[in-house]
Amino acid sequence: MNPTLTHTDADLSDLILGPLELGWLRPTGRVPDVLLAWENGALGEAPAGLAWDVVRLPAGVAYETVRRLRTARAPLGPVLATPLGVDFLVAPGSADGWNAPGSARLPDRTLVLLPHPDYFEPRHLGNRSWIVRPATGALTEGPALRDAYALASATAQEAAR
């Protein structure tokens, strides 16, 4: 019997990884599965649309978008670099009707592959790395992300001219 599986979620995270902020993950109902994956050096899986929605931006403007969100002092949740773009975890429902060129809101129940929060740029696991770690319960708001993305995109287009 694996003794780590008899612990509560909070005990398991402390036992395996040291103290972790799991408030962003808890509402997905996948904490034990994700912690077990991380314990085994694998990516955890959690569905979008429960605890948070996911908006994927092109990598070329994502860092500038993060910078603009910080400059605006807008709440900034976890941001994950993936092979397909950069995923922003946003407050549920705040990106409904998302319609911004070159980006997309992932459908609810899309499984998001999550590295342990220690996989922060430049460390990668499965070609994934956190740009902004999941360190608090804060999530990005869809309207703030849309504004920052629009400004970052305009800056990138202007620089390309």
Side-chain angles (χ1 to χ4, degrees), residues 38-102:
W38 289 347
E39 176 186 16
N40 291 309
L43 296 166
E45 296 180 343
L50 296 177
W52 25 262
D53 294 338
V54 176
V55 173
R56 180 168 290 154
L57 303 183
V61 295
Y63 291 90
E64 178 63 13
T65 301
V66 168
R67 189 188 72 73
R68 289 186 176 276
L69 285 164
R70 286 184 170 144
T71 300
R73 298 186 192 275
L76 181 59
V79 180
L80 180 63
T82 79
L84 299 175
V86 175
D87 294 349
F88 285 73
L89 277 57
V90 300
S94 72
D96 287 352
W98 182 269
N99 186 14

Side-chain angles (χ1 to χ4, degrees), residues 112-131:
V112 181
L113 300 176
L114 305 168
H116 182 278
D118 285 347
Y119 285 93
F120 182 81
E121 288 285 343
R123 279 184 80 204
H124 288 80
L125 177 64
N127 291 322
R128 286 167 170 69
S129 182
W130 295 103
I131 295 171

Side-chain angles (χ1 to χ4, degrees), residues 10 15 21 25 43 49 59 63 92 137-138 154 159 161:
L15 179 67
E21 167 55 50
L25 185 59
L43 296 166
Y63 291 90
R161 290 183 191 163

